[in-house]
Amino acid sequence: MFTNYIKVFQLIAAVILSASVYGQKNDHSSFFPGKLWPDNDGNHINAHGGGILYHNENYYWYGEHKGANSLAEVGVRVYKSKDLINWSNEGVALEVSTDPNSEITIGSVIERPKVIFNKKTKLFVMWFHLELKGQGYAAARTAVATSQSPTGPFKYIQSFRPNQKSWPQNFELSQTQENLEEQHLEWWTEEWHQALVDGLYVRRDFKKGQMSRDMTVFVDDDDTAYHISSSEENQTLHISKLTDDYLGFSKEWVRVKPGGQNEAPAVFKHKETYYMITSGLTGWKPNKARSFKAKSMFGPWEKLANPAKGKNADVTFFSQSTYVLPINRAEGIYIYMGDRWNPKKHSDGRYIWLPLVVKQGQPAMEWQDEWSLDQLKYISDNHKAD
Ligand code: DGJ
């Protein structure tokens, strides 16, 4: 608890310090959700669908470089900060390849990169959603890259459909014994929905591996890492335990909310409870966020309320979740990170970062035109989490 307070004070001190160090050039001391967010060079930060790694007292923000459209033309960018407001451009962490035969060639789709640090191997491990060039969103693969430095360069390792030839732990024996071939049912019918809930796509993809699109990774207090992604034609989330080196899947996994249509998962922990924020499934258009909690990463996950409160809560303040950053875990204080996509000009997508508080087992956030880290200190002084 005390160390958490120190962390908030350190952040505030870092804001004051960076304001005086950067002077006129970069002296932001507030978040302005939805506005242009200049980096130390004065360019709007280009790190969409991103996530944060806190390592050796620095924050690293990894995200998709977006050009005019949503195809990868540069790769994954990384920015560095001490105070979460002023970010220096550290360049391209994972570069796309100019080799047309590479899986990460220019024109592929690289989304939602997340980086975690493996204490045993001392490697920084990046996971991201990969779609192969020219195939739209049909490939539905997860991909991994590693680096010895947080700013890269990351070396691309491979992509695959996870959990090949392994059944989820929360499948009934009878579900494994049905026909492995796809039954062709008309989408959105009651019969289709029931078949999907019963594992239609898990069986269909058993041999080749499960689909994996919107994703995140989460490292637990015991250093176990989990990969969480939208699978089964985006209808069901899969939570999978990674191997100890974080480079592969352990084959221990569960399905979460079959048929629930959850995308954009962001996982965090408060006390001994795991929380997850997701969105619904409406492409680049915003929708109403959802939240869940569980006593174990493998569930069962209980559905909670929309974490967004107040005006425009029904469209999550025109954003879609990408990450939840812990600020004071003991007190239940976090930052919600969301993307306000701009499909007409993807590089102009905006970032919606807001204070998020867990109150009586429910994450909640409200819109703010401008807010500062002092507010988090105010919240932690005044908020008594359960
Ligand atoms: C919504 C997802 O959350 C985004 O990451 C992206 O995949 C778009 N769908 C594509 O339509």
Side-chain angles (χ1 to χ4, degrees):
M1 159 95 130
F2 186 61
T3 49
N4 277 310
Y5 278 120
I6 292 184
K7 203 168 154 199
V8 176
F9 280 124
Q10 276 173 343
L11 273 171
I12 294 167
V15 172
I16 295 164
L17 196 67
S18 54
S20 55
V21 168
Y22 290 122
Q24 294 298 310
K25 200 170 172 205
N26 196 350
D27 59 356
H28 316 292
S29 52
S30 297
F31 296 93
F32 294 95
K35 299 279 188 254
L36 287 172
W37 192 342
D39 65 10
N40 62 322
D41 297 326
N43 299 317
H44 180 48
I45 291 173
N46 200 334
H48 310 267
I52 303 274
L53 172 74
Y54 184 64
H55 187 76
N56 286 348
E57 298 183 12
N58 285 302
Y59 291 96
Y60 295 91
W61 176 358
Y62 303 87
E64 308 157 20
H65 170 103
K66 291 267 196 222
N69 60 41
S70 64
L71 301 178
E73 55 184 45
V74 169
V76 175
R77 285 200 171 275
V78 55
Y79 295 81
K80 180 175 162 182
S81 176
K82 289 249 180 246
D83 62 19
L84 294 171
I85 294 176
N86 297 280
W87 292 90
S88 64
N89 176 9
E90 300 292 323
V92 181
L94 174 74
E95 211 175 332
V96 288
S97 172
T98 50
D99 176 355
N101 295 317
S102 163
E103 291 183 342
I104 56 163
T105 191
I106 296 171
S108 58
V109 172
I110 292 177
E111 288 183 348
R112 299 185 175 271
K114 305 286 176 300
V115 173
I116 50 181
F117 178 65
N118 189 287
K119 289 181 193 157
K120 285 190 197 139
T121 63
K122 308 268 183 264
L123 283 179
F124 296 86
V125 181
M126 179 189 290
W127 284 93
F128 57 98
H129 166 202
L130 178 71
E131 296 293 346
L132 303 175
K133 186 177 177 180
Q135 299 185 21
Y137 278 81
R141 294 165 85 84
T142 192
V144 62
T146 61
S147 170
Q148 288 176 347
S149 150
T151 51
F154 278 77
K155 186 171 167 280
Y156 180 66
I157 311 281
Q158 62 170 337
S159 79
F160 52 89
R161 287 271 189 103
N163 295 320
Q164 200 186 22
K165 294 191 186 151
S166 79
W167 295 115
Q169 292 190 347
N170 52 357
F171 233 37
E172 303 285 332
L173 183 63
S174 60
Q175 290 174 285
T176 69
Q177 289 170 348
E178 301 219 2
N179 186 4
L180 282 181
E181 298 311 312
E182 181 174 4
Q183 296 160 258
H184 289 284
L185 299 169
E186 196 186 328
W187 275 54
W188 312 120
T189 58
E190 233 174 77
E191 197 190 2
W192 167 83
H193 188 261
Q194 192 53 51
L196 141 71
V197 170
D198 291 343
L200 170 71
Y201 296 125
V202 176
R203 286 188 294 276
R204 180 196 68 184
D205 294 337
F206 179 74
K207 288 186 192 147
K208 62 180 173 222
Q210 301 296 321
M211 300 176 93
S212 184
R213 293 203 182 107
D214 276 14
M215 51 73 63
T216 193
V217 284
F218 171 77
V219 180
D220 206 348
D221 297 323
D222 63 1
D223 295 330
T224 306
Y226 296 87
H227 180 281
I228 302 100
S229 68
S230 293
S231 187
E232 301 178 36
E233 307 287 356
N234 292 347
Q235 304 296 311
T236 301
L237 284 170
H238 289 182
I239 298 188
S240 310
K241 198 169 162 179
L242 294 178
T243 49
D244 287 350
D245 59 8
Y246 301 170
L247 299 178
F249 279 62
S250 69
K251 305 255 165 158
E252 285 175 57
W253 66 288
V254 291
R255 301 170 79 210
V256 176
K257 304 291 168 203
Q261 302 191 333
N262 288 289
E263 273 200 322
V267 172
F268 55 104
K269 192 175 182 182
H270 170 49
K271 300 205 168 147
E272 291 310 308
T273 304
Y274 302 88
Y275 290 87
M276 177 160 57
I277 291 184
T278 67
S279 74
L281 196 63
T282 51
W284 301 113
K285 290 200 193 104
N287 55 54
K288 192 180 187 174
R290 297 102 182 261
S291 65
F292 303 86
K293 71 175 175 184
K295 285 283 166 209
S296 150
M297 276 300 286
F298 277 176
W301 287 84
E302 178 193 341
K303 189 163 187 203
L304 305 169
N306 176 4
K309 307 288 170 203
K311 195 174 163 209
N312 297 321
D314 56 338
V315 282
T316 322
F317 316 118
F318 302 98
S319 77
Q320 187 182 29
S321 43
T322 185
Y323 199 75
V324 173
L325 178 68
I327 297 296
N328 184 334
R329 266 183 56 186
E331 295 284 321
I333 294 164
Y334 303 80
I335 295 178
Y336 162 86
M337 292 169 51
D339 291 287
R340 184 176 286 174
W341 303 110
N342 181 352
K344 290 201 179 112
K345 188 181 175 202
H346 273 279
S347 57
D348 194 34
R350 306 295 172 91
Y351 309 103
I352 307 301
W353 288 25
L354 293 168
L356 179 138
V357 175
V358 181
K359 276 186 206 159
Q360 278 134 24
Q362 170 65 59
M365 59 194 183
E366 285 170 29
W367 178 256
Q368 319 256 352
D369 288 330
E370 176 183 355
W371 64 281
S372 70
L373 290 165
D374 292 343
Q375 234 166 297
L376 291 182
K377 156 106 181 42
Y378 175 82
I379 294 171
S380 69
D381 284 347
N382 288 276
H383 167 62
K384 286 283 154 273
D386 55 332

